[in-house]
Amino acid sequence: MPRASKRKSSAPPNPSPSPVKSSAALPGKTKTAKGSDRVENMFYKYANDGIIDPDGIMTLCEDLKMEHTDIRILMLAWKLKAAKLGYFTQDEWKTGLKTLQVDTLTKLRKAVSELEKEVNTSSNLLEFYSFAFRYHLTEERQKNVDMETSCELLNLILGSEYRSQVDLLINYLKIQSDFKVINLDQWVGFLRFFEEISFPDLENYDDTQAWPTILDNFVEWLKEKRR
Amino acid sequence: MNNQKKRNFKIEAFKQRVVVDPKYADKTWKILEHAIHEIYNHNASGLSFEELYRNAYNMVLHKFGDKLYGELVTTMTSHLKEISKSIEAAQGGLFLEELNRKWNDHNKALQMIRDILMYMDRTYIPSTHKTPVHELGLNLWKDYIIHSSKIQTRFLNTLLELVHKERTGEVINRGLMRNIIKMLMDLGSSVYQEDFEKPFLEVSAEFYKGESQKFIECCDCGEYLKKAERRLNEEMERVTHYLDVKSETKITYVVEKEMIANHMLRLVHMENSGLVNMLLDDRYGDMGRMYNLFRRVPIGLSSIREVMTSHLRETGKQLVTDPERLKDPVEFVQRLLDEKDKYDNIISSAFNNDKTFQNALNSSFEYFINLNPRSPEFISLFVDDKLRKGLKGVSEEDVETILDKVMMLFRYLQEKDVFEKYYKQHLAKRLLSGKTVSDDAERSLIVKLKTECGYQFTSKLEGMFTDMKTSQDTMQDFYAHHPELGDSRTLVVQVLTTGSWPTQPGVTCNLPAEMSALCEKFRSHYLGTHTGRRLSWQTNMGTADIKTVFGKGQKHELNVSTYQMCVLMLFNNADRLNYKEIEQATGIPAPDLKRCLQSLACVKGKNVLRKEPMSKDIGEDDAFFVNDKFSSKFYKVKIGTVVAQKESEPEKQETRQRVEEDRKPQIEAAIVRIMKSRRVLDHNNIITEVTKQLQSRFLANPTEIKKRIESLIERDFLERDNVDRKLYRYLA
């Protein structure tokens, strides 16, 4: 996951007020209480000023024994439904870890490793893929992701599944000059393109259909190259 | 009543004794038989009709109908056999005459016999369902004469031979033929058809097949068509003279098939004489004939139409892509108009104003006019030329005709918005230089454009006219308020509303002192009455008339552009100026200044300035002087170049670019309008709908529409459906 730049100006979202919990809570709920305690404690281990910031995430990555650029961190962000690139709020942390059903670091490490499998089911892939794009819209009202980041993300997320297509597309995106940024519509279009269009012959591609023009141009470029 | 049986004196009819005497029947028959015999021998005059009738009547009454009928058949048959022999014996040409004579005789006889046997006809025959006498007579004639083995073939051959003779130019006895044919018709329509018509048609087909083959080898198209037409008329005439009227369609069908349908394509494409040559030479007669003949056969007219269309498209394509022609836009358009006139005449004179041909003409013109992307510009230039000088002295009616013809060409344009742009530019120049030949003609054309394209198309153009009128009023007002300026109206201002006139980059230059004071006066006057507005002088669009005195005393009045005026006025205060000094003093942008100086110093006959060095190009170090040796035949010399011209390549690119830019919001507006009403629509349908909506202005490019859709998606006007990516949804 690309490291988000430290933005001193934008304030991180308000951390939710920490609920006061005592271990001597209701009997029968001890296990859960303990569990959520552990989750909370884990949170505070990485948090800084009530939120896990990029530094905290770095630390988390070390603990998870993964590079911060590892795709599984991005997947974790997806599972947490993280709203802002480079930050996890307490709510996101709690809800996310509950979904994963983990409350210790070890369990978390295991769960994260298995996220890859989960993501690669086709219904989740689209969701994760779209999430990745939206996650990288850092400014309010930002609609587009810059070309470089888009290429990196493509490579990271779809590279293993669609190696040659992704390589060619990234190649094209870098040399063309019609578009300097990618919007969500085009982004989603890329995945559908890889999924639906037969490769390398591109037989079933019809440029009179509703494909984004950037893909029309890509296909034309490919065909030119072939000649 | 006391009516006892009176003994009335009765006169009783003479009664035959009612005897069922077998001999009676024979005896009676013998009388009748004898009578028939006499009738056939033309000896009927001695017979008593009444007596014979009575005899027949009695026979039937006494139930001897069978015998009567049977004997009748026998007798007639034997008579006919006799007749048959005499016909067979006739030689050569008399054969038919003999037949005819005998037929007439037979008919007369038959009539008399029928009259005699009327009672039997009316009572015995219906009840026994036997053939009535007259019909019986005809049938017997048919069987024993017409179908007699010795007569039948000979009969048919004789008839066919006569027809053939007539076809080869000989005169035959038409009256005789008519009678014979009538005889066949009387014998029954199937007789006519089987014994004559069918073989007649077959033989005719053979004949015309041969003839058409002969002609097509030796005649050119026009000649062939004349011959075919002649034959066709001949056959129709033959029918009226001696054939059954129902045969007309059948025989004409044969001629049409053999002479026209079978050779149609060869005729149309015939080298040096086919349709294309006729079109080129305006041979209305030949083309009209071709049209009339070909319309009788299937796909005849469509063959003509196809050839005409492809020829027209080819000609048109050459016209619009020929580099020679493209040099003079006015010529170019005139040539198009001439071509349209030519084909309009052909279609009305030769092709019966056929609507399908008219449509083919229209689609061809639409096709090739749009092959040249400069057509809109050229048509506007043509109109400009006409409105400047071409329509001078032309009657109002003729003006309307010319403008209507131009409108026809306009209708063919796919890129009407390009035309609008150029028209606006040219109109602006015309209005501002006051160079229009007829205000009425200008207005008339605007009205026509409005009718064709709607209010939006012409609202700005009308705005331009309004501005001109308003400016006149403003000037009146200005001078009325400034009596100190006296009677000399040195300054004339036209106030142009920015939105209506073609956009110009806003540049000003330094006006000479004499002018700028006056301009300021105007500005404050105007803004005094129109607060909240902003005025900017368009120094690149004005003109000036300057009175000049040259070194040798020559006096001239020069008509120049504002820029040129600024340059020239500098020489009131200096004898020599170099380029840099002029540039600085006037503030005119370099490319315009260079063009301006060129027009003042480098054009023969208009060189009011002298340049050192004498080269054609303007260099930064060049020096300029007034040309004291300047001379011109005329007192008034026009130097300004404010005439509309064919655009240079870079200008053309710029205009094209602006047009493309203008189209983008129009496409988007159309998309939004459609999606707002439909809510959800798939990709192909959007493209179709948008194209249709914009059709009256330009042909929208599907790729461009797609780009606009994506732009609208990005700006959250539309979204793609999650499940079906081909569907778009309107976001309120």
Side-chain angles (χ1 to χ4, degrees), chain B residues 147-165:
Chain B
H147 288 172
S148 138
S149 56
K150 292 220 176 74
I151 294 183
Q152 190 170 26
T153 327
R154 187 175 169 195
F155 173 66
L156 177 62
N157 287 344
T158 311
L159 292 179
L160 293 179
E161 225 180 274
L162 283 172
V163 170
H164 185 85
K165 270 206 181 116

PDB file of all heavy atoms in Angstrom, chain B residues 147-165:
ATOM      1  N   HIS B 147     -62.234 -27.100 -86.512  1.00  0.00           N
ATOM      2  CA  HIS B 147     -61.370 -28.157 -86.009  1.00  0.00           C
ATOM      3  C   HIS B 147     -61.243 -29.321 -86.974  1.00  0.00           C
ATOM      4  O   HIS B 147     -60.723 -30.362 -86.612  1.00  0.00           O
ATOM      5  CB  HIS B 147     -61.888 -28.650 -84.647  1.00  0.00           C
ATOM      6  CG  HIS B 147     -61.641 -27.630 -83.559  1.00  0.00           C
ATOM      7  ND1 HIS B 147     -62.151 -27.762 -82.301  1.00  0.00           N
ATOM      8  CD2 HIS B 147     -60.955 -26.479 -83.578  1.00  0.00           C
ATOM      9  CE1 HIS B 147     -61.776 -26.710 -81.575  1.00  0.00           C
ATOM     10  NE2 HIS B 147     -61.043 -25.922 -82.335  1.00  0.00           N
ATOM     11  N   SER B 148     -61.718 -29.090 -88.160  1.00  0.00           N
ATOM     12  CA  SER B 148     -61.551 -30.163 -89.150  1.00  0.00           C
ATOM     13  C   SER B 148     -60.076 -30.338 -89.428  1.00  0.00           C
ATOM     14  O   SER B 148     -59.332 -29.372 -89.577  1.00  0.00           O
ATOM     15  CB  SER B 148     -62.294 -29.762 -90.430  1.00  0.00           C
ATOM     16  OG  SER B 148     -61.536 -30.077 -91.573  1.00  0.00           O
ATOM     17  N   SER B 149     -59.653 -31.559 -89.504  1.00  0.00           N
ATOM     18  CA  SER B 149     -58.207 -31.808 -89.639  1.00  0.00           C
ATOM     19  C   SER B 149     -57.651 -31.162 -90.883  1.00  0.00           C
ATOM     20  O   SER B 149     -56.508 -30.707 -90.901  1.00  0.00           O
ATOM     21  CB  SER B 149     -57.929 -33.309 -89.655  1.00  0.00           C
ATOM     22  OG  SER B 149     -58.673 -33.903 -90.699  1.00  0.00           O
ATOM     23  N   LYS B 150     -58.444 -31.052 -91.895  1.00  0.00           N
ATOM     24  CA  LYS B 150     -57.906 -30.484 -93.142  1.00  0.00           C
ATOM     25  C   LYS B 150     -57.892 -28.960 -93.088  1.00  0.00           C
ATOM     26  O   LYS B 150     -57.292 -28.312 -93.919  1.00  0.00           O
ATOM     27  CB  LYS B 150     -58.770 -30.945 -94.325  1.00  0.00           C
ATOM     28  CG  LYS B 150     -58.659 -32.436 -94.607  1.00  0.00           C
ATOM     29  CD  LYS B 150     -58.636 -32.699 -96.108  1.00  0.00           C
ATOM     30  CE  LYS B 150     -58.418 -34.170 -96.379  1.00  0.00           C
ATOM     31  NZ  LYS B 150     -59.639 -34.975 -96.095  1.00  0.00           N
ATOM     32  N   ILE B 151     -58.596 -28.411 -92.146  1.00  0.00           N
ATOM     33  CA  ILE B 151     -58.698 -26.944 -92.124  1.00  0.00           C
ATOM     34  C   ILE B 151     -57.892 -26.322 -90.998  1.00  0.00           C
ATOM     35  O   ILE B 151     -57.250 -25.293 -91.173  1.00  0.00           O
ATOM     36  CB  ILE B 151     -60.183 -26.519 -92.015  1.00  0.00           C
ATOM     37  CG1 ILE B 151     -60.926 -26.930 -93.275  1.00  0.00           C
ATOM     38  CG2 ILE B 151     -60.295 -25.018 -91.775  1.00  0.00           C
ATOM     39  CD1 ILE B 151     -62.371 -26.506 -93.318  1.00  0.00           C
ATOM     40  N   GLN B 152     -57.904 -26.986 -89.852  1.00  0.00           N
ATOM     41  CA  GLN B 152     -57.412 -26.354 -88.640  1.00  0.00           C
ATOM     42  C   GLN B 152     -56.025 -25.729 -88.769  1.00  0.00           C
ATOM     43  O   GLN B 152     -55.837 -24.539 -88.533  1.00  0.00           O
ATOM     44  CB  GLN B 152     -57.393 -27.379 -87.499  1.00  0.00           C
ATOM     45  CG  GLN B 152     -57.130 -26.738 -86.140  1.00  0.00           C
ATOM     46  CD  GLN B 152     -57.349 -27.709 -85.009  1.00  0.00           C
ATOM     47  OE1 GLN B 152     -57.231 -28.917 -85.172  1.00  0.00           O
ATOM     48  NE2 GLN B 152     -57.690 -27.192 -83.852  1.00  0.00           N
ATOM     49  N   THR B 153     -55.065 -26.555 -89.148  1.00  0.00           N
ATOM     50  CA  THR B 153     -53.701 -26.055 -89.235  1.00  0.00           C
ATOM     51  C   THR B 153     -53.576 -24.961 -90.277  1.00  0.00           C
ATOM     52  O   THR B 153     -52.974 -23.920 -90.059  1.00  0.00           O
ATOM     53  CB  THR B 153     -52.738 -27.199 -89.596  1.00  0.00           C
ATOM     54  OG1 THR B 153     -53.212 -28.388 -89.015  1.00  0.00           O
ATOM     55  CG2 THR B 153     -51.338 -26.894 -89.077  1.00  0.00           C
ATOM     56  N   ARG B 154     -54.198 -25.264 -91.417  1.00  0.00           N
ATOM     57  CA  ARG B 154     -54.106 -24.309 -92.522  1.00  0.00           C
ATOM     58  C   ARG B 154     -54.691 -22.963 -92.124  1.00  0.00           C
ATOM     59  O   ARG B 154     -54.138 -21.912 -92.453  1.00  0.00           O
ATOM     60  CB  ARG B 154     -54.858 -24.878 -93.719  1.00  0.00           C
ATOM     61  CG  ARG B 154     -54.680 -24.028 -94.985  1.00  0.00           C
ATOM     62  CD  ARG B 154     -55.341 -24.726 -96.143  1.00  0.00           C
ATOM     63  NE  ARG B 154     -55.414 -23.844 -97.292  1.00  0.00           N
ATOM     64  CZ  ARG B 154     -56.186 -24.082 -98.353  1.00  0.00           C
ATOM     65  NH1 ARG B 154     -56.940 -25.183 -98.390  1.00  0.00           N
ATOM     66  NH2 ARG B 154     -56.199 -23.234 -99.371  1.00  0.00           N
ATOM     67  N   PHE B 155     -55.767 -23.049 -91.378  1.00  0.00           N
ATOM     68  CA  PHE B 155     -56.444 -21.839 -90.912  1.00  0.00           C
ATOM     69  C   PHE B 155     -55.512 -20.998 -90.033  1.00  0.00           C
ATOM     70  O   PHE B 155     -55.289 -19.817 -90.283  1.00  0.00           O
ATOM     71  CB  PHE B 155     -57.699 -22.254 -90.146  1.00  0.00           C
ATOM     72  CG  PHE B 155     -58.416 -21.133 -89.476  1.00  0.00           C
ATOM     73  CD1 PHE B 155     -59.031 -20.131 -90.206  1.00  0.00           C
ATOM     74  CD2 PHE B 155     -58.496 -21.092 -88.085  1.00  0.00           C
ATOM     75  CE1 PHE B 155     -59.700 -19.101 -89.571  1.00  0.00           C
ATOM     76  CE2 PHE B 155     -59.181 -20.068 -87.454  1.00  0.00           C
ATOM     77  CZ  PHE B 155     -59.785 -19.074 -88.193  1.00  0.00           C
ATOM     78  N   LEU B 156     -54.943 -21.653 -89.028  1.00  0.00           N
ATOM     79  CA  LEU B 156     -54.065 -20.931 -88.116  1.00  0.00           C
ATOM     80  C   LEU B 156     -52.881 -20.336 -88.849  1.00  0.00           C
ATOM     81  O   LEU B 156     -52.543 -19.169 -88.678  1.00  0.00           O
ATOM     82  CB  LEU B 156     -53.588 -21.872 -87.006  1.00  0.00           C
ATOM     83  CG  LEU B 156     -52.593 -21.250 -86.026  1.00  0.00           C
ATOM     84  CD1 LEU B 156     -53.220 -20.079 -85.278  1.00  0.00           C
ATOM     85  CD2 LEU B 156     -52.097 -22.297 -85.043  1.00  0.00           C
ATOM     86  N   ASN B 157     -52.258 -21.163 -89.675  1.00  0.00           N
ATOM     87  CA  ASN B 157     -51.084 -20.675 -90.395  1.00  0.00           C
ATOM     88  C   ASN B 157     -51.402 -19.478 -91.263  1.00  0.00           C
ATOM     89  O   ASN B 157     -50.614 -18.535 -91.356  1.00  0.00           O
ATOM     90  CB  ASN B 157     -50.494 -21.795 -91.269  1.00  0.00           C
ATOM     91  CG  ASN B 157     -49.797 -22.839 -90.413  1.00  0.00           C
ATOM     92  OD1 ASN B 157     -49.509 -22.584 -89.248  1.00  0.00           O
ATOM     93  ND2 ASN B 157     -49.557 -23.997 -90.981  1.00  0.00           N
ATOM     94  N   THR B 158     -52.568 -19.535 -91.900  1.00  0.00           N
ATOM     95  CA  THR B 158     -52.956 -18.400 -92.742  1.00  0.00           C
ATOM     96  C   THR B 158     -53.029 -17.123 -91.920  1.00  0.00           C
ATOM     97  O   THR B 158     -52.489 -16.082 -92.308  1.00  0.00           O
ATOM     98  CB  THR B 158     -54.325 -18.640 -93.397  1.00  0.00           C
ATOM     99  OG1 THR B 158     -54.344 -19.934 -93.991  1.00  0.00           O
ATOM    100  CG2 THR B 158     -54.603 -17.575 -94.453  1.00  0.00           C
ATOM    101  N   LEU B 159     -53.679 -17.232 -90.772  1.00  0.00           N
ATOM    102  CA  LEU B 159     -53.819 -16.048 -89.939  1.00  0.00           C
ATOM    103  C   LEU B 159     -52.466 -15.508 -89.501  1.00  0.00           C
ATOM    104  O   LEU B 159     -52.178 -14.321 -89.617  1.00  0.00           O
ATOM    105  CB  LEU B 159     -54.661 -16.369 -88.698  1.00  0.00           C
ATOM    106  CG  LEU B 159     -56.139 -16.673 -88.933  1.00  0.00           C
ATOM    107  CD1 LEU B 159     -56.809 -17.004 -87.604  1.00  0.00           C
ATOM    108  CD2 LEU B 159     -56.839 -15.499 -89.589  1.00  0.00           C
ATOM    109  N   LEU B 160     -51.625 -16.443 -89.013  1.00  0.00           N
ATOM    110  CA  LEU B 160     -50.326 -16.001 -88.508  1.00  0.00           C
ATOM    111  C   LEU B 160     -49.476 -15.397 -89.614  1.00  0.00           C
ATOM    112  O   LEU B 160     -48.759 -14.421 -89.415  1.00  0.00           O
ATOM    113  CB  LEU B 160     -49.599 -17.176 -87.853  1.00  0.00           C
ATOM    114  CG  LEU B 160     -50.261 -17.687 -86.574  1.00  0.00           C
ATOM    115  CD1 LEU B 160     -49.495 -18.870 -86.011  1.00  0.00           C
ATOM    116  CD2 LEU B 160     -50.354 -16.587 -85.533  1.00  0.00           C
ATOM    117  N   GLU B 161     -49.604 -15.979 -90.781  1.00  0.00           N
ATOM    118  CA  GLU B 161     -48.850 -15.456 -91.900  1.00  0.00           C
ATOM    119  C   GLU B 161     -49.256 -14.030 -92.229  1.00  0.00           C
ATOM    120  O   GLU B 161     -48.425 -13.177 -92.526  1.00  0.00           O
ATOM    121  CB  GLU B 161     -49.122 -16.349 -93.119  1.00  0.00           C
ATOM    122  CG  GLU B 161     -47.871 -16.709 -93.901  1.00  0.00           C
ATOM    123  CD  GLU B 161     -48.251 -17.584 -95.069  1.00  0.00           C
ATOM    124  OE1 GLU B 161     -48.322 -18.808 -94.851  1.00  0.00           O
ATOM    125  OE2 GLU B 161     -48.522 -17.018 -96.143  1.00  0.00           O
ATOM    126  N   LEU B 162     -50.547 -13.790 -92.162  1.00  0.00           N
ATOM    127  CA  LEU B 162     -51.035 -12.454 -92.456  1.00  0.00           C
ATOM    128  C   LEU B 162     -50.497 -11.443 -91.452  1.00  0.00           C
ATOM    129  O   LEU B 162     -50.059 -10.349 -91.806  1.00  0.00           O
ATOM    130  CB  LEU B 162     -52.570 -12.421 -92.453  1.00  0.00           C
ATOM    131  CG  LEU B 162     -53.217 -13.018 -93.704  1.00  0.00           C
ATOM    132  CD1 LEU B 162     -54.724 -13.122 -93.510  1.00  0.00           C
ATOM    133  CD2 LEU B 162     -52.907 -12.150 -94.914  1.00  0.00           C
ATOM    134  N   VAL B 163     -50.510 -11.847 -90.192  1.00  0.00           N
ATOM    135  CA  VAL B 163     -49.971 -10.947 -89.173  1.00  0.00           C
ATOM    136  C   VAL B 163     -48.500 -10.659 -89.445  1.00  0.00           C
ATOM    137  O   VAL B 163     -48.045  -9.524 -89.394  1.00  0.00           O
ATOM    138  CB  VAL B 163     -50.132 -11.557 -87.760  1.00  0.00           C
ATOM    139  CG1 VAL B 163     -49.369 -10.738 -86.737  1.00  0.00           C
ATOM    140  CG2 VAL B 163     -51.596 -11.631 -87.385  1.00  0.00           C
ATOM    141  N   HIS B 164     -47.787 -11.724 -89.769  1.00  0.00           N
ATOM    142  CA  HIS B 164     -46.371 -11.555 -90.053  1.00  0.00           C
ATOM    143  C   HIS B 164     -46.150 -10.614 -91.214  1.00  0.00           C
ATOM    144  O   HIS B 164     -45.283  -9.739 -91.189  1.00  0.00           O
ATOM    145  CB  HIS B 164     -45.724 -12.907 -90.323  1.00  0.00           C
ATOM    146  CG  HIS B 164     -44.249 -12.819 -90.503  1.00  0.00           C
ATOM    147  ND1 HIS B 164     -43.362 -12.827 -89.449  1.00  0.00           N
ATOM    148  CD2 HIS B 164     -43.496 -12.685 -91.621  1.00  0.00           C
ATOM    149  CE1 HIS B 164     -42.124 -12.720 -89.897  1.00  0.00           C
ATOM    150  NE2 HIS B 164     -42.169 -12.626 -91.223  1.00  0.00           N
ATOM    151  N   LYS B 165     -46.970 -10.798 -92.250  1.00  0.00           N
ATOM    152  CA  LYS B 165     -46.868  -9.926 -93.430  1.00  0.00           C
ATOM    153  C   LYS B 165     -47.025  -8.479 -93.011  1.00  0.00           C
ATOM    154  O   LYS B 165     -46.258  -7.601 -93.425  1.00  0.00           O
ATOM    155  CB  LYS B 165     -47.995 -10.283 -94.425  1.00  0.00           C
ATOM    156  CG  LYS B 165     -47.644 -11.329 -95.422  1.00  0.00           C
ATOM    157  CD  LYS B 165     -48.505 -11.138 -96.695  1.00  0.00           C
ATOM    158  CE  LYS B 165     -48.182 -12.209 -97.697  1.00  0.00           C
ATOM    159  NZ  LYS B 165     -49.337 -13.093 -97.956  1.00  0.00           N
TER     160      LYS B 165
END
